[in-house]
Amino acid sequence: MANRAVIDMWGNSRTPERHRKNRKRHTMTAPRRPLIAGNWKMNGLQEDGLTLASAVGEFMKSQGAAGFEMLVCPPFTLIGAVGQAITGSGVKLGAQDCHPAAKGAHTGDISAAMLADAGCSHVLVGHSERRTDHGESDDLVNAKAVAAHNSGLSAVICIGETEAERDGGKTLDVVKSQIAGSVPGSATPANTVLAYEPVWAIGTGRTPTVQEVQEVHAFIRAELAAKLGRDAADGIRLLYGGSMNPGNARELLALADVDGGLIGGASLKPDDFAAIALSC
Ligand code: PGA
């Protein structure tokens, strides 16, 4: 069975080995399984959200024992319906934000416990659009990640520099201080994923070079090792995000310290999202 060719729903043939070859290995713990995560942002009404979720679920089911994981993060209003649509497919369900408190007088907010109760396994915290639109600080992002951990969710902690910071040669300084501030001491490979998303690459069609991405990811892993220990750093998955698409996914996902992608625009197109997953 190991060599069984699989025909996906788009008619492409592949073998399970193709997915295994790029799996990142390290010495002490299990290999890091690539995670292909879709961030739908503020997109999707019931009908198109369900169509998209069903397509992703069918694709995942068509893969059999895939060498990658898939995650979809719809807006809050679609979490229940999307959760039903992907039931049994293996696709994981996430939200795009949570409040740091477990419950209480926070009108309009959603707690991590509510997300877990609604079937989520993951939640994005500190996405640059929240840092910008809502003035979220590293301290707040850290508190949200802790809240996620306390509710049994995996936190996908987002970091990344602005264009001005990159032009000023400050990328590694910014990333270092975001890790120091946003990543809690409770972070482990089981409850935390980091997403490096250069702000200037989000939704722009521009990406850093693969050398630049690998340099930043290797730096992030070294910073995590200093903060959390080598084993934790070796096990935590590091996603690249920012204009990942079927045309650039393969070379980005092949990088030694890139363990998946956080995908915005292309995750709204099921064929593109599937093609990115098949690039692992
Ligand atoms: P993009 O968004 O893929 O549309 O650039 C990525 C993100 O913001 O998570």
Side-chain angles (χ1 to χ4, degrees):
M1 283 302 274
N3 288 319
R4 181 173 57 102
V6 176
I7 308 296
D8 67 29
M9 68 183 296
W10 289 276
N12 301 312
S13 171
R14 51 165 284 275
T15 63
E17 279 63 28
R18 188 167 144 212
H19 293 287
R20 276 203 281 275
K21 79 177 191 301
N22 283 331
R23 231 187 288 178
K24 313 296 174 359
R25 298 201 164 266
H26 52 89
T27 47
M28 299 299 288
T29 46
R32 297 187 299 267
R33 197 159 182 231
L35 175 64
I36 301 301
N39 173 12
W40 294 7
K41 309 193 181 189
M42 198 171 71
N43 294 296
L45 302 179
Q46 295 289 329
E47 194 177 334
D48 41 323
L50 281 186
T51 304
L52 174 55
S54 301
V56 176
E58 287 304 316
F59 165 72
M60 191 73 200
K61 272 197 259 178
S62 75
Q63 296 307 296
F68 52 81
E69 290 178 1
M70 290 182 103
L71 165 69
V72 288
C73 301
F76 291 131
T77 48
L78 292 181
I79 281 173
V82 167
Q84 287 202 341
I86 60 175
T87 297
S89 69
V91 176
K92 295 178 187 305
L93 182 64
Q96 299 171 18
D97 182 47
C98 67
H99 193 278
K103 61 179 180 178
H106 302 287
T107 302
D109 280 311
I110 303 282
S111 73
M114 291 170 178
L115 298 176
D117 186 49
C120 290
S121 55
H122 290 71
V123 59
L124 309 181
V125 293
H127 189 281
S128 71
E129 285 151 17
R130 294 211 57 91
R131 291 178 186 261
T132 304
D133 292 358
H134 300 275
E136 294 195 2
S137 65
D138 285 327
D139 282 352
L140 179 60
V141 174
N142 189 310
K144 290 181 175 196
V146 170
H149 295 166
N150 289 341
S151 291
L153 298 180
S154 286
V156 181
I157 304 172
C158 305
I159 58 175
E161 83 286 357
T162 64
E163 182 152 38
E165 288 163 344
R166 173 159 287 252
D167 290 347
K170 298 197 186 108
T171 298
L172 298 185
D173 290 342
V174 169
V175 163
K176 184 183 175 84
S177 91
Q178 287 178 328
I179 292 170
S182 301
V183 179
S186 53
T188 69
N191 68 18
T192 299
V193 174
L194 250 76
Y196 168 59
E197 300 202 298
V199 178
W200 53 274
I202 293 174
T204 60
R206 297 162 56 207
T207 59
T209 66
V210 286
Q211 290 80 7
E212 288 166 342
V213 171
Q214 172 54 27
E215 183 195 0
V216 177
H217 277 235
F219 178 79
I220 292 170
R221 204 176 298 287
E223 287 297 306
L224 290 177
K227 186 179 171 98
L228 304 169
R230 186 80 253 169
D231 282 359
D234 279 346
I236 290 177
R237 289 179 290 184
L238 307 183
L239 312 185
Y240 169 77
S243 297
M244 188 181 270
N245 61 50
N248 61 24
R250 189 169 296 279
E251 60 176 4
L252 288 164
L253 293 168
L255 295 169
D257 285 296
V258 173
D259 309 309
L262 180 56
I263 298 126
S267 76
L268 299 174
K269 301 177 195 148
D271 290 8
D272 284 4
F273 196 46
I276 291 171
L278 290 172
S279 304
C280 286

